[in-house]
Amino acid sequence: LIRPRGGRKFPTSAADWTWNIPFPTLLHNLRRYRMSYNLVIFSNQGTLKTDEAVAEFVQKKVNVILSHLETPPDGPGVPVSVFLARGMQSRYRKPNDKMWSLYCRAAGLAPDPIDCFVGDAAGRMADFSDSDRKFALNVGSQFQTPEQFFGPGGARPLPPVANPADTWMRPVASPVFVF
């Protein structure tokens, strides 16, 4: 949904972000799904475990993003749940499926495969990782990049991925779960 401004891999402050695609387009697309699907953000946050200043700015950023999505000025919002894996060694980090299992328990859902997982860590040359694509494989989901899911332009072919067995790293009302 978002990326750091200026093409950096990681943000420098709570305000250092921009939408991956224009917000009106994003909101229009998400509104189409809000009655049938739950929007859940799963994010690895490696520095949260050790740096309280980082934790504070991530919380501020999440709150701003949620306010844009849930209470836009031009119509109905989109309810969102957010799950953040703290630290580089968290057993909840993607591509592990533990965040998905935790969400299912919190929402009272059976851990069925996700209909579609959209992520920017797809293993392409410019990507910082392939953890989103492997997460989708591990939870039995179709995977799409933001370019593929939200519209034309910019979609690049995905490189081959290892066997899903090799990828393991051994409606909730808008909560933010940090673990």
Side-chain angles (χ1 to χ4, degrees), residues 51-133:
D51 190 333
E52 287 306 313
V54 170
E56 185 177 326
F57 94 63
V58 168
Q59 184 63 56
K60 286 180 185 176
K61 182 168 58 174
V62 167
N63 289 341
V64 169
I65 293 164
L66 289 177
S67 71
H68 281 285
L69 293 171
E70 294 180 333
T71 56
D74 66 340
V78 179
V80 182
S81 296
V82 180
F83 287 75
L84 305 175
R86 290 177 68 137
M88 297 303 289
Q89 302 304 317
S90 172
R91 64 188 179 132
Y92 293 98
R93 284 181 68 81
K94 296 177 292 180
N96 197 321
D97 69 345
K98 297 218 181 295
M99 266 198 285
W100 171 243
S101 298
L102 187 64
Y103 166 71
C104 290
R105 282 195 305 273
L109 301 171
D112 294 329
I114 300 172
D115 289 312
C116 182
F117 185 77
V118 179
D120 59 353
R124 301 167 292 188
M125 287 295 283
D127 293 344
F128 59 90
S129 172
D130 61 357
S131 61
D132 288 338
R133 190 165 177 210

